[in-house]
Amino acid sequence: MALWQIFGETKHNLEVPEKNIPNKVFAHNVSEGEEPQRQTAIWPRPLAQKWTVTLFLGTCLLYCARMAMPICAVNMATTFGWSKTQSGVVMGGFFWGYCFTQVLGGHVSDRIGGERVLLLATTSWASITACTPLLAQLGISSLTSMTVARFLMGLLQGVHYPSLASLCSQRVDEGERGFLMSTMGSGSYMGTLMVGGLGSLMLERYGWESVFYGAGLLSGLWSLTVWRFLLRGQMNTIQVLSSHGSSSGLSKKRWLKMFKQPSVCAMVFAHLCFSSTCYSLMSWLPTFFKDTYPHAKGWVCNVIPWLVAIASALFGGIISDHLIQQGFRTSSVRKMMQFMSMGVSSVFLLLLCRPLSFPSAVIFVSAAMGLATFNSSGVSVNVQDLAPSCAGALFGFMNMCGAFTGLVLVYVSGYLIEVTASWGYVFSLFTMVNTMGLGVFLMFGEANRVDLWNLSEVTRV
């Protein structure tokens, strides 16, 4: 069977019923008891380019602030006398807060616009980051104050990606969404590199406080710039008419109806599998290199895979958007990108199961990480194809579940390493999980809208 037969039809067979075209403008008359239609405004290309650069920098700063505590944990533990367990409690506070606001942040973004939610959230977590050294000096226990600060950071940063998903579905043409989401993914890798390089240098020269001050102030400057030059004086908020006082797309009946669709279930399952393996891989890779190649240079394995991931994410977004603009079916492109992300990347993970030289291991890890970024043009964008009217809330649900399953797989991976003393079993487990998620998505994944109860009238600004 040919590869394109698995992915679906190509541009040579594009005749589909009008009701299945994801982002076509429909006439929609509101009858009694039915939700009024929403009006969304697609960004013109110059404005979209400005927002793409701005959101890339915002995501970069998000990770700088997020990783500030892990970078400074050892120095702060020495300063405040924390044990390893107490340090884990502080850093773990972020995770619990991060899970709680995923769905809420996406829902609010669907209602009022993702750009507004991003601005408010970034301003809040930037303030907490900049004030962290001051909070540590309060009269209460430093352990308590830092744990609460990390929990609040998680709450506020938890809305970021659901808001991006909502914003992308509301403001960006279907043929340009892959590049935007891929750019945001590359911003996360850039932020990790920045805080690992510049943050470590600031930590050594000026103390741990400087890392928090720097990340917080730069993030605050980002918020000020967005408000001053992109949002101030503009009515970019999506107006949601509600003569019946109903909410957009979050009723229990409509959620159940949507999750009865095989394409939605396939997308969610694939996202859970990918998030679990990706989160576990990033968590255990430093330990893998340290245990397997104890005398190798650490910076090589901590920098090169991320540099490859940045370039690969951008390339994947460009390719996916180009294929859609050339007339290929959206569902076929999404499946192809996910095949590269979960299928081909797993091949390189399997190659790590046998003894390798250090350069070969770095090459295979870099290839696996780079190909995994194609997910930003696959499942991550598919949520905007299926349910643009509630993309933020649906992505938030997926991300929340993915975070929990990722935590479980990290624990299971650690158990396998401890029991078997072999990394081959761990990489085989990652491959098996990826294969299951990819198989379900290839069989049942689609890109036709399933939220047709809440059609959007798309206009340009």
Side-chain angles (χ1 to χ4, degrees):
M1 181 178 292
L3 188 62
W4 277 106
Q5 290 178 305
I6 298 176
F7 294 142
E9 302 177 49
T10 66
K11 62 180 179 180
H12 301 298
N13 187 8
L14 293 173
E15 297 299 325
V16 295
E18 182 179 72
K19 66 179 182 179
N20 289 332
I21 299 177
N23 292 306
K24 188 176 179 65
V25 177
F26 292 83
H28 185 61
N29 297 322
V30 180
S31 59
E32 185 176 357
E34 192 178 49
E35 267 188 26
Q37 66 186 15
R38 302 191 307 160
Q39 291 188 351
T40 61
I42 297 296
W43 284 328
R45 178 157 294 185
L47 183 59
Q49 292 172 345
K50 292 180 181 179
W51 270 105
T52 299
V53 175
T54 301
L55 293 174
F56 169 82
L57 295 175
T59 304
C60 181
L61 292 171
L62 176 95
Y63 271 79
C64 286
R66 180 181 299 186
M67 297 302 295
M69 181 65 75
I71 290 292
C72 301
V74 175
N75 294 68
M76 295 179 70
T78 303
T79 302
F80 300 113
W82 296 340
S83 65
K84 295 289 185 181
T85 302
Q86 290 173 324
S87 297
V89 170
V90 172
M91 289 187 287
F94 177 90
F95 169 79
W96 296 110
Y98 187 75
C99 291
F100 287 147
T101 52
Q102 295 280 333
V103 178
L104 177 62
H107 174 53
V108 175
S109 298
D110 292 334
R111 295 282 293 173
I112 69 172
E115 60 267 53
R116 300 289 184 181
V117 176
L118 284 173
L119 177 62
L120 292 174
T122 302
T123 302
S124 300
W125 59 253
S127 301
I128 293 176
T129 303
C131 293
T132 295
L134 302 178
L135 295 174
Q137 304 298 330
L138 294 178
I140 61 176
S141 167
S142 61
L143 180 66
T144 302
S145 62
M146 291 297 94
T147 302
V148 172
R150 289 296 290 176
F151 178 78
L152 293 176
M153 278 282 292
L155 283 176
L156 295 166
Q157 290 199 355
V159 308
H160 186 83
Y161 281 103
S163 297
L164 283 179
S166 178
L167 182 63
C168 189
S169 69
Q170 295 165 353
R171 303 300 197 187
V172 182
D173 279 323
E174 181 185 35
E176 299 177 354
R177 291 173 181 171
F179 180 72
L180 177 63
M181 294 303 292
S182 297
T183 302
M184 300 309 103
S186 65
S188 65
Y189 307 132
M190 180 64 75
T192 303
L193 279 177
M194 283 181 57
V195 75
L198 295 177
S200 299
L201 183 61
M202 294 173 64
L203 176 65
E204 181 180 346
R205 293 191 177 184
Y206 307 109
W208 63 268
E209 296 89 348
S210 63
V211 180
F212 289 95
Y213 288 142
L217 291 176
L218 287 176
S219 301
L221 181 61
W222 182 91
S223 297
L224 180 62
T225 302
V226 170
W227 175 77
R228 178 67 179 83
F229 296 103
L230 292 177
L231 288 183
R232 188 179 182 183
Q234 299 182 21
M235 295 302 294
N236 280 342
T237 300
I238 294 178
Q239 300 295 328
V240 182
L241 305 176
S242 183
S243 59
H244 300 285
S246 59
S247 62
S248 64
L250 273 182
S251 68
K252 180 179 179 181
K253 180 179 179 180
R254 287 170 176 170
W255 270 102
L256 291 176
K257 181 179 179 181
M258 189 162 58
F259 275 98
K260 289 181 180 179
Q261 300 291 328
S263 57
V264 174
C265 295
M267 174 188 66
V268 173
F269 183 71
H271 182 81
L272 297 187
C273 293
F274 174 81
S275 297
S276 300
T277 55
C278 187
Y279 184 75
S280 301
L281 188 63
M282 290 189 293
S283 299
W284 287 111
L285 274 181
T287 306
F288 164 72
F289 279 110
K290 185 176 180 179
D291 290 350
T292 311
Y293 310 99
H295 303 296
K297 295 181 179 179
W299 69 268
V300 175
C301 55
N302 290 328
V303 172
I304 291 181
W306 298 111
L307 291 176
V308 173
I310 292 172
S312 179
L314 295 174
F315 177 74
I318 293 173
I319 290 297
S320 67
D321 287 350
H322 176 73
L323 291 175
I324 292 176
Q325 291 166 6
Q326 290 299 311
F328 285 90
R329 289 177 65 93
T330 303
S331 60
S332 301
V333 176
R334 302 296 183 232
K335 290 179 180 181
M336 183 186 71
M337 302 307 289
Q338 205 62 30
F339 178 79
M340 299 295 293
S341 175
M342 300 179 74
V344 181
S345 66
S346 295
V347 174
F348 290 98
L349 291 181
L350 284 177
L351 293 175
L352 294 170
C353 296
R354 59 189 181 89
L356 297 168
S357 63
F358 178 68
S360 297
V362 172
I363 291 174
F364 291 155
V365 167
S366 299
M369 293 292 292
L371 289 167
T373 63
F374 281 33
N375 177 77
S376 297
S377 304
V379 165
S380 291
V381 189
N382 191 223
V383 65
Q384 300 156 31
D385 303 324
L386 297 178
S389 67
C390 54
L394 182 55
F395 187 86
F397 173 79
M398 292 165 49
N399 224 26
M400 178 184 68
C401 295
F404 281 117
T405 55
L407 182 64
V408 172
L409 191 59
V410 169
Y411 172 78
V412 173
S413 303
Y415 176 78
L416 280 177
I417 296 170
E418 184 177 350
V419 172
T420 66
S422 171
W423 286 95
Y425 289 102
V426 175
F427 294 126
S428 298
L429 174 63
F430 293 167
T431 300
M432 182 183 69
V433 174
N434 273 341
T435 302
M436 289 192 302
L438 177 63
V440 171
F441 187 70
L442 291 180
M443 286 189 292
F444 301 106
E446 290 292 343
N448 298 326
R449 287 190 63 168
V450 298
D451 63 338
L452 296 181
W453 65 77
N454 193 8
L455 293 173
S456 299
E457 179 183 319
V458 182
T459 58
R460 289 190 174 272
V461 291

